Every structure is written in C-alpha cells, then in structure tokens.
Amino acid sequence: YLYFLNHGVFSFLLWTVCCFFITKLYFSLLYLSASLSLSLVPPVENPCDYLGRSYLHIRQDLDVDLRTEEPPPKCFSPKKLVHTWVGHTKGVAAIRLFPHSGHLVLSAGMDSKIKLWEVYGERRLLRTFVGHAKAVRDICFSCKGTRFLSCSYDRYIKLWDTETGECLARFTNKKTPYCVRFNPDEDKQNLFLVGCADKKIYCFNIDSGEIVQEYDRHLGAVNTITFVDGNRRFVTTSDDKSLRVWEWDIPVDMKYVAEPHMHSMPAVTLSPNEKWLACQSMDNTILVYGVHNNFRLNRKKNFKGHMVAGYACSADFSPEGRSASAFTPLMLHWLLPNVECVFRRCIIN
C-alpha cells in the first residue's frame, strides 16, 4: 500500500492488469495440458503375464470363474472389509467394473485423475490416466472394455484406450457434462450420450466428432442415463425432479414421470433381470419403477433407513437379483422379496 501511495494510481492499475494477464496465462496453460491428455507410465513393473498378455486378459487361476455369464445361485451380505485401494488425493466421484468379468475396476477422482485397479490377486494400481484439467464427474466402459469415456468439469469428454492409456479423441460442446454412456449395442459403439448442465442430452458420433442428436425436454441438469428394453430406450433423471423415457434417436420423450412429492434422483441402477429400476431419491428412499409395466412406481418396494443428503450415493443389486444395497456413509443391505433391511455397517469414520 505504501508503494502505491508513493507511485500513484497508474502503478496500481498497471499491477492489476499484469495480475489479470498472468492469471489468464495460467488457465490457458492448464487447458493446454488437458488437451495433451498424456497417460502416466504404469506403476506396475510387469503389466503383462508370462505369455505376454496384458491386464485386460481375464485371469483363470482364481477360485472364481470370471468367464461365466451365469450369476451364482445365492449371494450373501458382506461381513468384513477385504481391501482398500488408496491412491486418489481427493474424493472419488464414480467407480466402474470391467464389463462381463469384473476383474478390473476404474475410478474417477475429484483430483482430475482416473485410475485402473486390479480386483483380484495383488490388487495393484495398474495405470493412472491424466489429461483432465478439473475433477472427473463420470466414466463409462465400452461393451468390450477396451475403451472408456470420461467427462469432467473442464467441459471435455475424452475417449481413452484402456490398455495403452492413450487418449484417442476428445469432444466438447462448451457445456459441463454430468453423465456419459456408450450405446450398449455392439453395432453402435461409435455413439454415446452425454447429459449436461444445460438441461440437454447430446448424442455424439465418435467417428466424426459431431453431435448427431439432441434431447432437450428436461427443465434441469441431467444426472443419469440408463438404457432399458434391449437398448431400444433409455431413461434419464434430472434436477427438475422428473424421470423421462426416450426412444433411441427420437428427440421427444415417450414417458414423463413427475409427482408433487417426488425429489431429485441422482443415481439409477437397472436390476440384473432388466425388469426394475432402482432410483436413489434425495428424500432418503430408494424408489423402484417397473420397466415392463409402463414405468409405474412399485409402492410395495420402498427402501428406507439410510441418509443420503449431501453425499454422492448410489444403489446396486446383487448378481442374482435377490437383494439391493445402498452405498452411503452407512451401507445398508435389503432383501427384495420382503423389503427387509438385513445388514448395515458404517463404512467411513
């Protein structure tokens, strides 16, 4: 202050302009580093096995058969903590298991990094994907798991090679993406959907990098996208406290679900038999909608007992579909036939 008093207002204005341009240069370099999208070298010493196969190869030397498509006849509630993966410096926004086998898990961190981990064996950190300038919001594997998409608060959606860590492409519409999903059909792996903060859902073509379709009937930010009915339709939820059902490639919703008592549903999970949608509502309940009965609410299956306000929480089903779990600071486990809470355990301090 004494310096500015001695040298006048001109020096103060000059100092303010310099600070502005330095800040602008800093953020420009930050976005430039994001556009380079380089992946760190794998921290494991031997990423391949003795036959030269990468970690994408499904292991057969385990006590579980990861190649089978049949779920176990009966699953049991978890009783103890098996392992903790440590590596992110901030919170984890999303985790995704490798398609079909589940022998790898992908985590998206608020530290702008994406990490790939082993689920079995030594449970090592296999690779760290660096390229986003801000926190990563959502991730999604392709149907074979060889590629995956990530969307971030830096307004970019990036396509990655799971094995090599290379960023294959990047897309942006200058809007903040909240969720991203590949089309699950094998013949449509060049198309993916992105739900954004501008109340719209965009369909991108990976080959051309352009937007080929827009769905714009929501009145709030789009939180989830879930494919149902043999991937011919998809369900979206939004901050406008509604649920909408869309036919693929038709930008008009075929079903609109909204009630005065409804709350926002930031997480939706499809059951293994693809008959039910478990929607995590912000009023501390899990609502179940039927996929094959015109998406009606099943009032007999209303799960309560957990606190979700202020937490990024989600629900999931056991592989055989007999029970459901809610992942919150207090993990709860319900049996579906009688909606009875059979297990609860605190998972944070």
Side-chain angles (χ1 to χ4, degrees), residues 217 219 240-245 253-258:
R217 301 299 293 269
L219 304 177
D240 60 6
K241 303 179 182 180
S242 70
L243 182 147
R244 296 176 187 262
V245 185
D253 51 341
M254 57 164 291
K255 178 71 175 179
Y256 171 64
V257 180

Side-chain angles (χ1 to χ4, degrees), residues 10-22:
F10 177 77
S11 299
F12 175 76
L13 293 177
L14 182 62
W15 176 79
T16 304
V17 171
C18 291
C19 291
F20 171 77
F21 281 105
I22 291 174

Side-chain angles (χ1 to χ4, degrees), residues 8 30 44 47 63 102-103 138 144 242 250 273 281-282 288 307:
L30 196 64
V44 292
D63 55 354
H103 68 292
D138 196 15
K144 295 183 179 180
S242 70
I250 299 178
N273 58 11
S281 177
M282 292 306 291
V288 178
M307 183 68 66

Side-chain angles (χ1 to χ4, degrees), residues 137-138 151 177-181 193-196 222-225 237:
R137 173 68 186 242
D138 196 15
C151 65
Y178 278 5
C179 54
V180 60
R181 288 292 180 274
L193 296 177
V194 179
C196 296
V222 181
N223 292 322
T224 65
I225 301 173
T237 60

